[in-house]
Amino acid sequence: MSPQTLSLTIDPAASAAPFEQVRTQIADQARDGGLPVGYKLPTVRGLAEDLGLAANTVAKAYRALETDGVIETRGRNGSFIAAAGEAADKEAAAAAETYARRARRLGLDRRAALAAVENALRATYDADA
């Protein structure tokens, strides 16, 4: 079995900013197992050079990935793919709990609260289709 490697393509004509392209592609590869937990990412400067981007662009993507729990930075040791599923599940559960408490304070019953969530999900996920 060949080792997994990071594979990114930046499209200068794309509507998404280059940092968002980097963020999305790394997140997708981590999520689908193309980059396993513990995989060491290239340095910010190294990846920027490889992609022909400014180091600040890659650094911005890495910061967003770290905020999202996709990667973890271990100081001078570098950045690694984290157990993103666990972090995403925890964050989603916390957001759902916050929403449920707020909906209840607003006086919504379960059906209305759930309908609001379903409408938001439909608008968000169908926009990507």
Side-chain angles (χ1 to χ4, degrees):
M1 177 180 216
S2 65
Q4 289 94 354
T5 58
L6 181 63
S7 174
L8 303 177
T9 304
I10 303 304
D11 179 0
S15 61
F19 93 88
E20 181 60 20
Q21 292 180 53
V22 171
R23 187 204 65 76
T24 301
Q25 290 179 52
I26 291 174
D28 289 348
Q29 290 177 47
R31 189 175 13 266
D32 71 15
L35 296 174
V37 171
Y39 177 86
K40 185 174 182 179
L41 293 168
T43 64
V44 167
R45 286 189 180 149
L47 184 57
E49 187 176 307
D50 289 347
L51 296 174
L53 298 173
N56 285 341
T57 300
V58 174
K60 184 175 181 180
Y62 276 25
R63 282 191 303 273
L65 288 161
E66 188 166 24
T67 298
D68 293 345
V70 176
I71 69 171
E72 58 185 8
T73 300
R74 302 177 191 160
R76 298 181 77 94
N77 293 323
S79 297
F80 299 82
I81 299 296
E86 294 172 17
D89 290 346
K90 286 179 184 177
E91 187 172 340
E97 182 178 352
T98 299
Y99 170 75
R101 290 178 190 279
R102 178 77 174 139
R104 188 171 187 186
R105 280 196 307 273
L106 292 171
L108 298 177
D109 63 17
R110 278 181 194 257
R111 185 171 299 175
L114 187 56
V117 168
E118 288 172 341
N119 288 334
L121 288 170
R122 195 170 14 265
T124 300
Y125 283 84
D126 291 351
D128 294 340

